[in-house]
RNA sequence: GGUCGCAUAGCUCAGUCGGUUAGAGCGCUUGCCUCACAUGCAAGAGGUCCGGUGUUCGAAUCACCGUGCGACCACCA
């Protein structure tokens, strides 16, 4: 096939599709275990199947792809595992919402099975869309291995992990106060709550005191932002020692005042004054109440006519409110703690039903929604004169991230993973060669990133680009809070537990029936005592144990049976159900399965028997080569944003350690978060989120990737100004400065004056695409690369390869090879340091500022000359080859396309020897720097020539000499045989080509004509003849002299400073001396020229 | 309340061990459609390195104080 000439302009649209197809056909990204000792593994942070990808995903994916492609070129066996997350609550919420909107039905109308089926449909649709987006971004994942967290292979890993944690006593069931989403009717994790400030009230309630003695108050005032919770009050607390507490606080505040800054002072002084005042006004009453509490006095709970005790607890703060606090243990976490301290004297009353309405403990308010009840209660209290005051107040209300409804603290039975240290420690990697014992799960994950610890294989986890995110990780884990893993949802991995509550003889019967199953290694059971503790039912000893002393005949106990294997869950599960046990309806927290991602995807616990989807690459070992799990685990690098360091990274580390005894990866690369032009986090719901596909459509994927790489500098945030494309005029409108329309999601097009929206939710006005002009830079870069290649190919009709000796090459050839070698070292080093921006800048700098701006220009005359052209072509082809390789991890499509064109024109490339040139660039060997090519002398010589050329160009520009007009130049040198003269002589062709020099005279005694402008380059005087306007030249020279004199004075002063000369490093002093000499000589030349002007 | 981070050109950001006249890209000004590229080429202007104090021969860089932002965690009767 005849090589085709490239079009003069780069157009990414068709190109990227074709290249994509080539990669797919060649299965370029397939990874299979082999005898390569260097696997490189990245596990993709799995996007949720709730929606399309955004710019944050683009950044994340591009960073991963860059690392993967780089390692693939370095001949590592590189696996990038792709996949998606079922994202339990998020996905179910989206599908339920649609169900309601489109069909007016709730999940209860259609039932569990039908809902789950619908969510699967949704998942298929979105997963396909996500994969298309990732492929459009050039992601070089092994697409034959992509997974979904609910795939069978992953489900088995989830079940196994649950089973072992349960068996080890690390998973337990308990009644705890959880965050309850009344809309979705599930527990949600602390991190799934967003706080919003709302205008609320602070109600001060009066609780009458029963039988007040003379001198005692008739009521106690307590304040609340949620008055309906009073129905669940079981005590009122006051501080056991209010005077002591208040005095301590006053002392502490005084101390703070001592060290406070000026600004804080007034505030602290006011606070101090308030506290002192309060001691006067409130203490007598509070002390009275304390003594009454110690006396065991009771308080009347209004509306319900209950008596509740007055108790002493330090949770009551004498400095706040009335100094007393109502205690609602079932609906407030702090009150729950108070209850835990006083559980012998006070009760615990739940007043809520799962939908947020009140239950039968609420008496007359039963079945009212909690907010309706609130109004009614306030009104009722008011009518009984029990409302002392209503204060307006801003309050922070926790809302569920998914349903956007207010969260209620709610007492319910949930499953937890024990994160803290346990007696006897936790065995990690049980049964493997890497087995070791750790104090607890959280501690194991903390150890993994700290100091001297290393896994049995010698690994540990390091954060990049710096260690500060290690602190986030450790601080979070150090709390060792138990992890609530149950969710009352239908979408997710169902908890593999069957439970039944039995007592006495029946329990014994059940255990006897269970006995034979317990000898199987995939069945385990525990008995849950009323106090929350549990014991493993041991095979062979179950019956005896039960008949022993552990519990009395009348005790009621919960029998929990856990099944490890999903198939057994089907069969044995039915038997258990027939025996009166019921499967736990809950599903697991999404992070439970994503925490297993690095090994569940590889077939853990047994790759050979892993059930993968049809057509997918096998996981078991073949032909004597290791299976995927042992080959690809532990992996290499995790790439993610900082928002899920705790949720995900920490969990992967601890799950990996627990199941396999080793960390899932050794490096964690935390990339920047993308913000909009106002510094706000990008998100679709904020109306500032850019869809990567819109950028790809407009600028091309490579352009987007180039800019993303260049932006990744290591700082924590990146601002990306966002523009909307006006649907009326197609103009770009900057959202940071544009005028809003009727809502914050609409803007006014300044030209047409019409309104558009950015969310796509306004039915009556058109919506605008969001893009960013920042990506133009990337497109321009791609165009430059396209055209540089185009130029090379136009000159390469007869390219051949002949082994060359570097020392025989022309100055510019030696120079470009030396610079190339440096650039390779730099790019490689910056990639190793997780600094993509610096890597890309180094590649660009070499390619654009050196190869294009100078080398190409310098060899143009040679390319036209037979005899000279061959070598120039060969060096050019080689340099281009190396540039394409260096840029491939960043801009894969274009480099792949150009690589193939280069292969057509110049299939054999190299300098001393021919390079390995594969058909596709994806597996082209990564460039290596050549020490032998480092040529300081040629670099210095070319720098010098460039300085002279620039000086001439500067003068030409200053005197507006038309580009086509040539100039005569005379250069005064010390000696015509000196080095400078030789370089100039050798470079005269370049000067003519690059600075329009028609005639060049180099001599020690050149004459300066009256119409000559003077430039000084180092020690040389350069005269450009026939351009001068005397006044202008005088002004120019004076300006130069003034500037130079200033610097010169500074240097002189420095050197005159005795301290500098004696104390600074000798090199620094030497440097200054050298500069001084240079500047003095330049100044002299300039002064001479000035005076010559007359 | 706790922990951590940021502030450098009009904009977005680099700046390594404290050492030359503080850099890049975009934008701006001027001149060029020079036979690869106007998505380009050449030349240029543009800085109180947030403010202050200190350490040092020397501070954008180190320490402390202040100002203004931001992130995460905790809490909020």
């Amino acid at each position: 096939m005849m090589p085709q000439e490239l079009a003069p302009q780069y157009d990414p649209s068709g190109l990227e599709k074709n290249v994509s197809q080539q990669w797919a056909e060649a299965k370029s990204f397939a990874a299979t275990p082999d005898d390569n000792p260097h696997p490189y593994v990245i596990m993709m942070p799995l996007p949720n199947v709730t929606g399309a990808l955004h710019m944050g995903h683009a950044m994340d994916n591009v960073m991963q792809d860059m690392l993967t492609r780089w390692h693939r070129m370095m001949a590592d066996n590189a696996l990038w595992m792709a996949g998606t997350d079922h994202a339990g609550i998020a996905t179910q919420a989206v599908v339920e919402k649609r169900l309601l909107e489109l069909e007016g039905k709730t999940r209860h109308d259609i039932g569990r099975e039908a809902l789950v089926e619908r969510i699967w449909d949704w998942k298929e649709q979105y997963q396909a869309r996500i994969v298309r987006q990732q492929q459009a971004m050039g992601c070089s994942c092994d697409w034959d291995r992509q997974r979904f967290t609910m795939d069978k292979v992953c489900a088995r890993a989830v079940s196994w992990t649950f089973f072992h944690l349960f068996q080890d006593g690390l998973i337990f069931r308990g009644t705890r106060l959880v965050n309850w989403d009344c809309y979705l009717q599930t527990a949600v994790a602390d991190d799934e709550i967003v706080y919003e400030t709302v205008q609320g009230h602070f109600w001060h309630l009066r609780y009458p005191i029963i039988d007040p003695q003379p001198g005692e108050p008739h009521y106690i005032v307590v304040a609340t932002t949620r008055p309906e919770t009073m129905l669940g009050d079981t005590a009122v607390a006051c501080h056991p020692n209010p005077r002591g507490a208040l005095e301590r606080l006053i002392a502490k505040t005084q101390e703070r005042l001592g060290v406070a800054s000026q600004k804080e002072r007034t505030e602290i002084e006011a606070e101090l004054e308030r506290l002192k005042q309060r001691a006067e006004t409130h203490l007598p009453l509070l002390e009275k109440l304390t003594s009454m509490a110690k006396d065991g006095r009771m308080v009347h709970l209004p509306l319900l006519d209950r008596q509740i005790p007055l108790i002493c607890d330090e949770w009551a703060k004498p400095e706040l409110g009335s100094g007393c606090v109502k205690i609602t243990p079932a609906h407030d976490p702090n009150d729950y703690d108070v209850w835990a301290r006083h559980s012998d004297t006070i009760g615990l009353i739940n007043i809520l039903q799962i939908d947020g309405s009140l239950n039968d403990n609420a008496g007359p308010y039963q079945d009212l929604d909690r907010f309706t009840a609130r109004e009614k209660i306030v009104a009722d209290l008011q009518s009984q004169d029990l409302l002392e005051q209503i204060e307006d107040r801003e309050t922070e209300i926790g809302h569920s991230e998914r349903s956007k409804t207010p969260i209620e603290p709610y007492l319910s039975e949930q499953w937890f993973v024990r994160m803290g240290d346990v007696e006897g420690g936790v065995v990690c990697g049980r049964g493997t060669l890497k087995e070791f014992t750790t104090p607890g799960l959280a501690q194991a994950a903390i150890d993994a990133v700290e100091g001297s610890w290393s896994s049995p294989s010698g690994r540990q986890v390091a954060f990049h680009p710096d260690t500060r995110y290690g602190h986030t990780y450790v601080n979070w884990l150090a709390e060792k809070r138990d992890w609530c893993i149950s969710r009352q949802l239908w979408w997710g991995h169902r908890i593999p537990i069957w439970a039944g509550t039995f007592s006495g003889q029946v329990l014994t019967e059940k255990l006897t029936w269970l006995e034979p199953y317990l000898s199987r290694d995939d069945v385990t059971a525990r008995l849950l005592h009323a106090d929350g503790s549990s014991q493993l039912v041991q095979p062979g000893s179950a019956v005896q144990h039960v008949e022993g002393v552990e519990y009395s005949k009348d005790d009621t106990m919960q029998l929990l049976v856990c099944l490890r294997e999903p198939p057994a869950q089907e069969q044995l599960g039915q038997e258990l159900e027939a025996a009166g046990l019921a499967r736990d309806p809950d599903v697991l927290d999404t992070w439970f399965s994503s925490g297993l991602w690095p090994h569940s995807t590889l077939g853990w616990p047994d790759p050979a028997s892993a059930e993968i989807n049809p057509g997918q690459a096998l996981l078991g070992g073949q032909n004597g080569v290791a299976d995927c799990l042992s080959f690809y685990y532990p992996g290499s690098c995790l790439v993610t944003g900082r928002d899920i360091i705790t949720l995900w990274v920490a969990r992967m580390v601890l799950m990996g350690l627990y199941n396999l005894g080793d960390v899932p990866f050794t490096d964690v690369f935390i990339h920047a978060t993308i913000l909009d032009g106002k510094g706000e986090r990008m998100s679709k719901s904020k109306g500032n989120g850019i869809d990567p596909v819109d950028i790809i459509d407009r600028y091309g994927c490579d352009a987007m990737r180039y800019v993303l790489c260049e932006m990744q500098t290591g700082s924590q945030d990146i601002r990306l100004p966002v523009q909307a494309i006006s649907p009326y005029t197609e103009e770009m409108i900057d959202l940071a400065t544009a005028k809003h329309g009727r809502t914050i999601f609409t803007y006014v097009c300044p030209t047409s004056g019409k309104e558009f929206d950015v969310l796509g939710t306004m039915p009556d006005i058109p919506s605008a695409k969001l893009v960013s002009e920042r990506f133009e830079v990337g497109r321009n870069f791609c165009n430059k690369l396209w055209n540089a290649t185009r130029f090379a190919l136009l000159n390469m009709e007869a390219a051949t390869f002949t082994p060359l000796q570097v020392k025989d090459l022309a100055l510019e050839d030696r120079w470009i090879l030396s610079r190339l070698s440096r650039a390779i070292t730099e790019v490689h080093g910056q990639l190793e340091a997780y600094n993509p921006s610096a890597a890309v800048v180094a590649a660009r700098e070499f390619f654009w500022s050196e190869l294009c701006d100078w080398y190409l220009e310098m060899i143009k005359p040679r390319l036209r000359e037979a005899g000279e052209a061959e070598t120039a072509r060969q060096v050019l082809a080689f340099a281009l080859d190396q540039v394409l390789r260096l840029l491939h991890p960043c801009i894969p499509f274009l480099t792949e396309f150009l690589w193939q064109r280069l292969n057509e024109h110049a299939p054999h490339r190299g300098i001393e020897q021919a390079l390995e040139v594969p058909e596709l660039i994806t597996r082209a060997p990564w460039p290596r720097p050549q020490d032998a090519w480092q040529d300081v002398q040629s670099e210095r010589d070319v720098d010098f020539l460039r300085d002279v050329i620039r000086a001439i160009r500067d003068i030409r520009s200053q005197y507006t000499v038309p580009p086509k007009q040539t100039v005569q130049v005379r250069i005064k040198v010390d000696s015509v045989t000196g080095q400078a003269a030789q370089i100039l002589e050798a470079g005269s062709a370049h000067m003519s080509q690059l600075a329009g020099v028609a005639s060049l005279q180099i001599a020690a005694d050149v004459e300066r004509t009256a119409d000559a402008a003077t430039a000084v380059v180092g020690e040389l005087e350069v005269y450009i003849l026939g351009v001068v306007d005397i006044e202008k030249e005088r002004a120019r020279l004076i300006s130069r002299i003034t500037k130079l004199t200033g610097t010169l004075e500074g240097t002189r002063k420095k050197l005159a400073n005795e301290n500098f000369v004696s104390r600074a490093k000798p090199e620094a002093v030497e440097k200054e001396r050298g500069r001084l000499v240079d500047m003095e000589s330049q100044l002299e030349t300039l002064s001479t020229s000035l005076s010559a002007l007359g």
Side-chain angles (χ1 to χ4, degrees):
Chain A
M1 190 179 81
M2 261 304 281
Q4 273 193 332
E5 202 176 295
L6 299 180
Q9 230 179 38
Y10 153 72
D11 175 15
S13 52
L15 182 159
E16 289 178 3
K17 269 198 194 75
N18 290 339
V19 167
S20 257
Q21 209 171 343
Q22 280 185 315
W23 288 336
E25 278 163 15
K27 289 207 177 287
S28 298
F29 313 133
T32 313
D34 56 17
D35 53 8
N36 189 330
H38 300 292
Y40 184 80
V41 184
I42 290 185
M43 293 284 166
M44 177 187 286
L46 39 187
N48 294 349
V49 287
T50 42
L53 303 184
H54 52 70
M55 223 54 220
H57 291 112
M59 174 60 95
D60 196 48
N61 284 331
V62 169
M63 291 302 115
Q64 291 171 76
D65 193 52
M66 188 190 66
L67 291 171
T68 307
R69 285 180 187 270
W70 174 47
H71 279 272
R72 192 179 286 123
M73 291 174 81
M74 288 196 292
D76 289 354
N77 183 326
L79 167 65
W80 182 12
M81 178 68 82
T84 41
D85 194 315
H86 69 281
I89 186 168
T91 317
Q92 184 171 323
V94 171
V95 174
E96 274 194 64
K97 195 173 165 224
R98 260 172 66 96
L99 185 67
L100 191 66
E101 280 170 4
L102 299 180
E103 301 175 41
K105 289 180 184 165
T106 71
R107 65 169 143 153
H108 301 285
D109 295 331
I110 63 168
R112 185 164 190 154
E113 230 168 90
L115 183 80
V116 169
E117 205 172 294
R118 278 170 199 250
I119 304 177
W120 274 105
D121 287 346
W122 170 276
K123 170 256 167 184
E124 294 301 339
Q125 198 183 324
Y126 271 88
Q127 187 179 37
R129 179 166 171 195
I130 287 168
V131 170
R132 275 200 305 276
Q133 283 185 304
Q134 287 169 337
Q135 287 174 338
M137 287 185 216
C139 294
S140 64
C141 309
D142 183 347
W143 297 108
D144 290 340
R145 294 189 188 279
Q146 61 164 317
R147 304 263 184 269
F148 177 58
T149 46
M150 301 232 310
D151 280 351
K152 284 188 171 156
V153 55
C154 298
R156 181 170 70 165
V158 166
S159 186
W160 271 63
T161 306
F162 188 98
F163 182 89
H164 286 120
L165 287 167
F166 179 76
Q167 201 166 40
D168 284 353
L170 295 169
I171 279 185
F172 63 95
R173 191 176 204 185
T175 301
R176 298 269 184 107
L177 210 52
V178 294
N179 308 300
W180 190 259
D181 181 327
C182 300
Y183 180 79
L184 292 168
Q185 300 180 13
T186 176
V188 297
D190 292 345
D191 358 77
E192 289 167 329
I193 294 175
V194 283
Y195 286 91
E196 277 172 43
T197 308
V198 291
Q199 276 304 327
H201 303 285
F202 207 36
W203 285 275
H204 297 251
L205 318 181
R206 290 176 183 160
Y207 286 6
I209 285 165
I210 294 172
D211 298 332
Q213 306 297 305
E216 286 182 358
H218 289 255
Y219 57 81
I220 297 183
V221 175
V222 289
T224 178
T225 53
R226 296 181 298 156
E228 71 280 8
T229 61
M230 59 91 55
L231 301 173
D233 282 1
T234 56
V236 170
C238 57
H239 197 277
N241 178 9
R243 184 172 296 275
L246 204 53
E247 278 168 358
R248 266 197 304 280
L249 191 65
I250 289 173
K252 222 171 136 193
T253 311
Q254 217 132 26
E255 218 170 276
R256 263 173 60 209
L257 191 62
V259 294
S261 65
Q262 209 55 44
K263 200 193 166 191
E264 295 166 324
R265 252 192 127 73
T266 42
E267 214 171 298
I268 297 176
E269 271 166 3
E271 172 66 7
L272 194 60
E273 191 48 42
R274 192 186 73 84
L275 291 174
K276 284 180 175 164
Q277 193 83 45
R278 199 176 170 85
E280 306 261 323
T281 54
H282 283 61
L283 269 185
L285 177 62
L286 287 177
E287 286 188 310
K288 179 119 224 152
L289 289 169
T290 304
S291 78
M292 286 164 68
K294 284 177 179 159
D295 230 21
R297 303 292 295 278
M298 303 294 275
V299 171
H300 179 85
L301 184 68
L303 307 182
L304 288 185
D305 290 329
R306 276 206 333 256
Q307 292 196 0
I308 57 175
L310 184 60
I311 61 169
C312 287
D313 192 281
E314 301 199 349
W315 168 240
K317 305 282 181 235
E319 71 276 16
L320 291 176
S322 66
C324 295
V325 57
K326 62 196 265 310
I327 303 297
T328 322
H331 298 284
D332 182 284
N334 293 301
D335 294 1
Y336 184 80
D337 292 343
V338 174
W339 170 79
R341 288 192 285 270
H342 301 266
S343 59
D344 48 338
T345 49
I346 68 174
L348 178 149
I349 299 174
N350 174 32
I351 58 162
L352 281 180
Q353 311 188 54
I354 55 170
D355 63 352
S357 64
L358 302 188
N359 65 15
D360 55 3
N361 285 327
Y365 306 96
Q366 184 175 352
D367 293 334
L368 290 180
D369 179 76
R370 60 199 192 281
F371 296 114
T372 319
R374 176 177 300 177
E375 286 170 28
K376 195 152 186 299
I377 285 167
V378 168
D380 291 349
L381 287 170
Q382 200 148 26
S383 68
Q384 294 181 29
D385 195 27
L386 293 174
L387 199 57
E388 169 134 328
Q389 188 194 347
I390 304 176
E391 214 180 308
D392 286 337
R393 180 165 166 167
E394 273 188 356
T395 51
E396 294 272 295
I397 305 265
H399 285 71
S400 164
E401 201 179 7
R402 296 302 165 193
S403 70
K404 313 289 177 205
T405 56
I407 285 291
E408 294 296 330
Y410 182 71
L411 205 56
S412 65
E413 208 169 41
Q414 303 288 345
W415 291 94
F416 296 87
V417 174
R418 200 181 299 283
M419 300 292 281
D421 298 353
V422 299
E423 220 182 297
V426 169
V427 178
C428 287
R430 192 191 290 277
T432 70
L433 293 173
K434 293 175 179 174
E435 183 173 311
F436 69 97
T437 303
T438 176
L441 288 175
Q443 192 57 49
I446 292 173
D447 289 344
V449 303
E450 283 190 328
S452 55
W453 188 91
S454 66
S455 77
S457 68
R459 287 173 167 85
Q460 56 185 156
V461 177
F463 283 80
H464 306 279
D466 62 44
T467 52
R468 70 172 176 263
Y469 296 111
H471 297 131
T472 309
Y473 170 97
V474 170
N475 289 342
W476 184 80
L477 278 169
E479 290 184 32
K480 302 188 178 177
R481 308 219 300 188
D482 289 336
W483 171 16
C484 175
I485 50 168
S486 46
R487 296 290 182 275
Q488 290 66 48
L489 300 170
W490 291 349
W491 175 242
H493 296 280
R494 198 152 168 193
I495 290 176
I497 289 278
W498 279 256
T501 306
F502 309 104
S503 60
Q505 188 54 36
V506 183
L507 180 55
T508 310
E509 276 168 33
K510 297 296 173 196
L511 287 168
T512 311
W513 173 80
L514 194 62
E515 176 76 27
Y517 295 106
L518 290 177
S519 54
R520 289 168 57 159
D521 63 359
D522 64 339
V523 180
T524 191
R526 279 181 174 272
L527 277 172
L528 186 60
H529 297 252
D531 66 356
S533 68
S534 76
Q535 65 187 124
L536 209 55
V537 183
Q538 298 291 351
S541 67
V543 179
Q544 290 87 330
H545 197 84
V546 165
E547 286 171 345
V549 290
E550 294 296 327
Y551 66 100
S552 74
K553 210 172 159 229
D554 299 325
D555 259 356
T556 296
M557 296 183 90
Q558 238 187 73
L559 173 62
L560 304 173
V561 179
C562 185
L563 303 182
R564 191 184 64 190
E565 302 292 339
Q569 287 162 10
E570 297 287 320
Q571 300 147 22
L572 188 51
Q574 282 181 6
E575 292 178 41
L576 288 168
E577 282 157 32
L581 283 83
R583 179 154 194 185
D584 196 299
D586 292 356
V587 300
L588 288 163
D589 179 13
T590 298
W591 299 108
F592 191 92
S593 47
S594 28
L596 305 176
W597 190 242
H599 56 279
S600 67
T601 51
L602 296 172
W604 182 87
D606 177 30
S609 65
E611 259 189 277
I612 49 176
N613 296 334
Q616 289 201 314
L618 296 176
L619 289 167
Q622 296 157 75
N623 309 325
V625 180
D627 60 77
C628 283
L629 184 66
S630 42
F631 189 81
Y632 290 120
Y633 192 96
S636 311
C637 185
L638 179 84
V639 182
T640 187
R642 64 194 138 84
D643 43 345
I644 51 174
I645 291 171
T646 53
L647 294 174
W648 192 46
V649 180
R651 267 118 189 211
M652 280 192 288
V653 173
L654 71 87
M655 293 290 217
L657 287 171
Y658 177 73
N659 279 341
L660 293 112
D662 213 338
V663 294
F665 33 73
T666 51
D667 298 86
V668 179
F669 174 29
I670 302 294
H671 59 72
T673 302
I674 298 185
L675 309 176
D676 71 3
K678 295 178 203 159
E680 286 176 39
R681 200 191 174 87
M682 263 195 190
S683 108
K684 206 144 205 172
S685 55
K686 274 193 193 166
N688 62 357
I690 296 178
D691 182 343
V693 172
D694 288 342
I695 299 300
I696 292 172
D697 284 349
R698 194 177 174 91
Y699 300 103
C701 175
D702 284 328
M704 179 183 80
R705 292 178 57 125
Y706 174 86
V707 172
L708 287 175
C709 287
E710 207 193 23
M711 287 198 304
Q712 178 52 51
T713 57
S715 65
Q716 54 177 355
D717 294 330
I718 298 169
R719 280 177 187 228
L720 185 64
V722 178
Q723 284 91 35
I725 304 172
S726 164
Y728 307 104
T729 60
E730 306 259 301
E731 70 196 295
M732 304 271 266
I733 300 163
D734 198 313
L735 291 192
T737 51
K739 272 194 183 150
H740 280 293
R742 68 185 99 152
T743 78
I744 54 163
F745 300 122
T746 65
Y747 295 86
V748 177
C749 167
T751 310
S752 65
K754 289 191 268 187
E755 198 179 0
F756 61 85
D757 108 298
V758 290
L759 275 187
T761 53
M762 304 287 283
D764 55 332
I765 52 173
S767 61
K769 262 191 187 176
L770 297 184
V771 294
S772 176
E773 280 173 335
R774 284 285 297 277
F775 292 102
E776 270 179 23
V777 175
R779 186 206 41 200
N780 295 356
F781 179 81
C782 289
N783 186 59
K784 188 72 181 179
L785 185 61
W786 173 275
N787 268 293
T789 310
R790 177 170 186 257
F791 171 80
L793 299 184
L794 287 172
N795 285 284
M796 226 160 264
E797 64 276 14
T800 52
F801 170 75
T802 323
L804 298 173
Q805 294 294 314
V806 175
K807 64 176 172 42
D808 300 335
L809 296 175
L811 172 63
E812 63 270 20
D813 294 341
R814 280 179 283 125
W815 171 74
I816 200 69
L817 291 177
S818 182
R819 298 304 303 167
L820 170 65
S821 193
R822 269 184 212 281
I824 293 168
T825 307
E826 179 72 7
V827 170
H828 185 83
Q830 296 292 3
L831 286 176
E832 274 189 322
Y834 292 96
N835 197 347
S837 176
V840 159
V841 167
R844 180 196 70 208
E845 201 57 24
F846 170 74
F847 162 68
W848 200 318
S849 307
E850 296 183 330
L851 185 66
C852 290
D853 289 351
W854 292 94
Y855 184 72
L856 283 185
E857 297 302 329
M858 286 195 277
I859 62 166
K860 273 180 179 172
R862 282 167 69 201
L863 288 171
R864 290 184 212 118
E865 238 173 282
E868 290 276 330
E870 291 75 12
T871 307
R873 271 185 210 137
Q874 194 176 326
V875 175
L876 175 58
F878 175 76
L880 190 60
D881 167 293
Q882 300 287 292
V883 163
L884 292 175
R885 293 184 205 230
L886 282 178
L887 287 169
H888 178 69
C890 171
I891 47 173
F893 292 105
L894 181 57
T895 48
E896 180 67 84
F897 178 84
L898 296 176
W899 174 263
Q900 293 173 22
R901 303 292 85 71
L902 186 61
N903 283 356
E904 289 161 8
H905 287 78
H908 306 290
R909 311 189 280 271
I911 300 298
E912 284 116 338
Q913 45 198 311
L915 291 170
E916 189 188 332
V917 177
E919 227 172 279
L920 297 178
I921 198 173
T922 51
R923 290 194 189 257
W926 183 247
R928 288 169 179 281
Q930 303 291 322
D931 291 342
W933 297 354
Q934 291 290 329
D935 183 348
V936 179
Q937 190 55 50
S938 75
E939 291 192 16
R940 235 181 256 152
D941 292 352
V942 170
D943 277 350
F944 169 65
L945 273 178
R946 288 203 296 190
D947 286 345
V948 174
I949 289 166
R950 283 190 175 125
I952 299 168
R953 283 173 173 176
D954 181 14
I955 301 267
R956 291 184 60 122
S957 180
Q958 302 252 356
Y959 287 99
T960 53
V961 178
K964 279 175 186 153
Q965 188 183 316
T966 55
V967 289
Q968 291 190 300
V969 172
R970 291 179 185 172
I971 301 177
K972 186 174 174 185
V973 292
D974 287 346
S975 127
V976 280
T977 53
Q979 210 183 13
Q982 283 181 10
I983 301 163
L984 289 169
E985 205 66 63
S988 65
H990 296 321
M991 277 188 261
S992 125
Q993 165 82 5
L994 300 173
V997 176
S999 80
L1000 178 64
Q1001 189 187 346
I1002 303 160
D1005 56 352
V1006 293
E1007 270 182 43
R1008 190 190 166 287
T1009 57
D1011 60 353
T1014 311
V1016 182
V1017 180
E1019 283 145 42
L1020 300 185
E1021 293 162 39
V1022 180
Y1023 302 121
I1024 294 94
L1025 274 49
V1027 296
V1028 150
D1029 162 335
I1030 293 196
E1031 279 318 302
K1032 211 170 167 185
E1033 180 68 358
R1034 183 177 286 132
R1036 200 180 67 83
L1037 289 173
I1038 288 172
S1039 140
R1040 293 266 146 130
I1041 287 169
T1042 313
K1043 213 169 169 183
L1044 196 58
T1045 311
T1047 321
L1048 190 67
E1049 281 314 306
T1051 309
R1052 275 202 185 122
K1053 240 185 210 162
K1054 212 172 193 179
L1055 283 168
N1057 183 339
E1058 192 50 44
N1059 280 325
F1060 174 69
V1061 179
S1062 60
R1063 297 201 199 181
K1065 277 179 275 176
E1067 306 95 86
V1069 178
E1070 233 6 82
K1071 228 177 193 176
E1072 289 300 310
R1073 289 210 171 109
R1075 283 186 60 219
L1076 186 68
V1077 173
D1078 285 354
M1079 286 191 290
E1080 276 171 342
S1081 108
Q1082 283 183 27
L1083 194 59
E1084 199 188 314
T1085 309
L1086 290 171
S1087 307
T1088 315
S1089 299
L1090 183 61
S1091 53
L1093 284 174

